Amino acid sequence: MFPAPRFLISMCLVLGACTPPGASTGGKLSKFQIVQTAPADAASGTCWGNRVSPAVIETVEREILVQPAQVSSDGRIQQPAIYRKESRQEIVQERREVWTQIVCVTAFTDDFVASLQRALAARGFYKGPANGLMDNRTRTAIRKLQSEDGFEQAVLTLATARKLGLIAVERTQ
């Protein structure tokens, strides 16, 4: 079994989920969160995190025709069209919820973290001892590695763990 204090501290660090009471999260709606729920089609016993990208709302200006141009029978414009400008708020990109499968908390033993550190060091992302502690250097290395795949979080995704050879790749039948 794990020594409780070290394990809990490591989990807080790896998940980035420990926010002191009263601390601000900066109001970012798109912050990655470890959640107790999962997508509807998720397999039982899997762990997930999600990121909500808020809707993008912009002010759009349009010219609205108030009165059409008056044209004589010979095609000459007697009075030009009259337009008014109208500004309105419009959603240009809908809110999106993106689910990412992550490595479950129970997998983060000291040995697993040490293996993770060695794998990150072998790829040039981690410079430090393979001590099994999920410290800032380890989280920074995870973030740098995953940013190559467009996922800039320090939460270890299942895809990254498989890429590093830390978790077996499922076989398809």
Side-chain angles (χ1 to χ4, degrees):
M1 201 65 185
F2 312 109
R6 182 174 174 179
F7 177 72
L8 291 176
I9 290 169
S10 294
M11 288 308 94
C12 281
L13 294 173
V14 71
L15 298 176
C18 295
T19 305
S24 172
T25 58
K28 294 181 182 177
L29 295 176
S30 61
K31 183 176 181 176
F32 189 82
Q33 298 177 356
I34 309 305
V35 292
Q36 296 298 320
T37 59
D41 59 346
S44 174
T46 58
C47 299
W48 294 83
N50 73 350
R51 184 181 71 226
V52 176
S53 296
V56 177
I57 301 173
E58 292 182 357
T59 301
V60 178
E61 289 192 8
R62 292 200 170 110
E63 289 189 346
I64 307 296
L65 180 65
V66 176
Q67 180 179 336
Q70 293 180 359
V71 183
S72 64
S73 59
D74 62 355
R76 287 184 301 154
I77 297 176
Q78 293 187 347
Q79 185 172 352
I82 299 173
Y83 294 89
R84 68 177 161 83
K85 288 189 178 185
E86 181 180 272
S87 296
R88 67 172 11 150
Q89 300 282 317
E90 290 186 6
I91 296 174
V92 294
Q93 182 178 336
E94 294 290 330
R95 174 189 178 275
R96 290 178 299 151
E97 185 172 39
V98 179
W99 289 94
T100 304
Q101 192 169 2
I102 60 173
V103 176
C104 293
V105 173
T106 55
F108 284 90
T109 63
D110 292 344
D111 289 338
F112 179 84
V113 175
S115 294
L116 170 63
Q117 290 168 329
R118 285 189 294 273
L120 291 167
R123 288 159 181 84
F125 289 97
Y126 178 74
K127 295 185 183 0
N131 56 13
L133 296 176
M134 185 58 76
D135 54 12
N136 281 334
R137 282 191 281 194
T138 306
R139 286 192 311 282
T140 299
I142 292 169
R143 182 178 289 115
K144 285 180 183 177
L145 173 64
Q146 292 182 148
S147 69
E148 291 180 350
D149 297 325
F151 187 80
E152 297 185 24
Q153 299 292 331
V155 177
L156 184 63
T157 67
L158 194 61
T160 301
R162 286 181 174 154
K163 181 178 173 180
L164 294 172
L166 300 172
I167 293 182
V169 176
E170 293 180 8
R171 291 184 182 191
T172 55
Q173 301 287 352

